Amino acid sequence: MEFTNLGFLNTVMVCSVVVQSVDSVLRCKQPSLVWHNHYRKIHQVGNVTWSKKLWSQANSWANRLARTNTFEHEPGNPGNLFLSPGRPSEPCAMAVKLFYSEEKYYNYKKPQYYKAAGHFTQLVWKNTKQIGAVSKLRRDGKTVVVVKYFPPGNVQGHFAKNVFPPKKHIVTTPRTPTVTTSGNTTSKKYTTTVKPKLYVRAGVSSVNAWRGVQFAVHWLLFGFVLC
């Protein structure tokens, strides 16, 4: 009887871990895809799809950041990072919205790398085809979001062919998106409380280009992004 009870408890524990893992994926997968593809459509580029491999990479690095209460890029595989005080209800949606807010710092007339717009340019980079993202609660109570991209963007000398100005008269909001994965396409209903910034002015503020993709931006109201 004791063995049976022990086996039952082990089964429950395993099932709990599996459920938590699936919930962690879905909690970030849908909003990440919805908002990436929403903004990418505005900027005249194709959708990205979800990559389990990139999610695994993001999850591994997010676990490290959560465990050590740090906020830094993974060497050789930086991606985009976001840090928020507390527990936002939709951290991944908030992260993508914050990445996109940097659009105002990009100068389309001088396509190049801008330190203040690096998250935005990676977000809408035409040649990027896949993403993987995850959110984790750090030991200090802050929430970190890690997003990985493939192929990565922000490649010097390729901005003119990968970052385009927004289309006009975009008035729709993503309410019932089609979530596409590498293997199949499924329709998922996803309603978010974070409203997109549909109309934005092309950035005209130029800053010195800096080779590489690592920089930090302090966001006083919502959190931090690191790119």
Side-chain angles (χ1 to χ4, degrees):
M1 186 66 176
E2 291 181 357
F3 176 79
T4 302
N5 289 338
L6 180 60
F8 174 77
L9 290 176
N10 286 337
T11 301
V12 171
M13 291 176 64
V14 170
C15 291
S16 176
V17 171
V18 172
V19 170
Q20 290 177 13
S21 178
V22 172
D23 180 64
S24 176
V25 174
L26 295 179
R27 187 168 60 247
C28 214
K29 177 180 180 179
Q30 292 189 14
S32 294
L33 282 175
V34 166
W35 290 101
H36 270 82
N37 290 333
H38 176 70
Y39 289 130
R40 288 174 67 86
K41 181 179 180 180
I42 292 176
H43 288 267
Q44 310 176 64
V45 297
N47 288 352
V48 289
T49 59
W50 187 258
S51 166
K52 292 182 179 179
K53 180 178 180 180
L54 292 177
W55 174 85
S56 179
Q57 294 173 3
N59 188 59
S60 177
W61 190 248
N63 281 333
R64 181 185 182 280
L65 299 181
R67 184 178 65 254
T68 58
N69 282 337
T70 52
F71 187 55
E72 59 188 7
H73 282 297
E74 180 179 7
N77 187 19
N80 279 348
L81 299 182
F82 166 82
L83 182 66
S84 173
R87 304 183 183 186
S89 59
E90 297 180 358
C92 294
M94 180 179 288
V96 179
K97 183 184 179 185
L98 185 55
F99 298 158
Y100 186 74
S101 71
E102 296 178 355
E103 192 267 350
K104 59 182 174 289
Y105 300 117
Y106 189 77
N107 189 347
Y108 296 97
K109 295 181 180 179
K110 296 181 180 179
Q112 59 186 13
Y113 177 78
Y114 292 95
K115 183 178 180 179
H119 302 90
F120 159 70
T121 50
Q122 171 59 89
L123 170 62
V124 300
W125 194 263
K126 179 181 179 180
N127 195 46
T128 293
K129 307 300 182 184
Q130 296 180 318
I131 65 169
V134 68
S135 67
K136 294 289 182 179
L137 185 66
R138 299 198 320 184
R139 294 173 60 190
D140 60 2
K142 297 178 180 179
T143 299
V144 63
V145 175
V146 179
V147 187
K148 299 294 187 181
Y149 299 86
F150 182 82
N154 291 346
V155 180
Q156 291 288 355
H158 294 268
F159 281 81
K161 296 181 179 180
N162 284 278
V163 180
F164 307 111
K167 292 190 295 186
K168 297 180 180 179
H169 308 302
I170 300 294
V171 296
T172 59
T173 56
R175 291 295 179 183
T176 309
T178 297
V179 178
T180 305
T181 63
S182 300
N184 58 2
T185 301
T186 57
S187 180
K188 301 282 188 179
K189 184 176 181 180
Y190 173 72
T191 301
T192 180
T193 59
V194 181
K195 296 182 179 179
K197 186 176 181 181
L198 297 178
Y199 295 100
V200 291
R201 181 170 56 87
V204 295
S205 177
S206 296
V207 295
N208 292 328
W210 175 65
R211 291 186 177 278
V213 292
Q214 297 188 8
F215 68 91
V217 176
H218 185 187
W219 192 264
L220 295 176
L221 295 178
F222 301 105
F224 301 85
V225 288
L226 189 64
C227 179

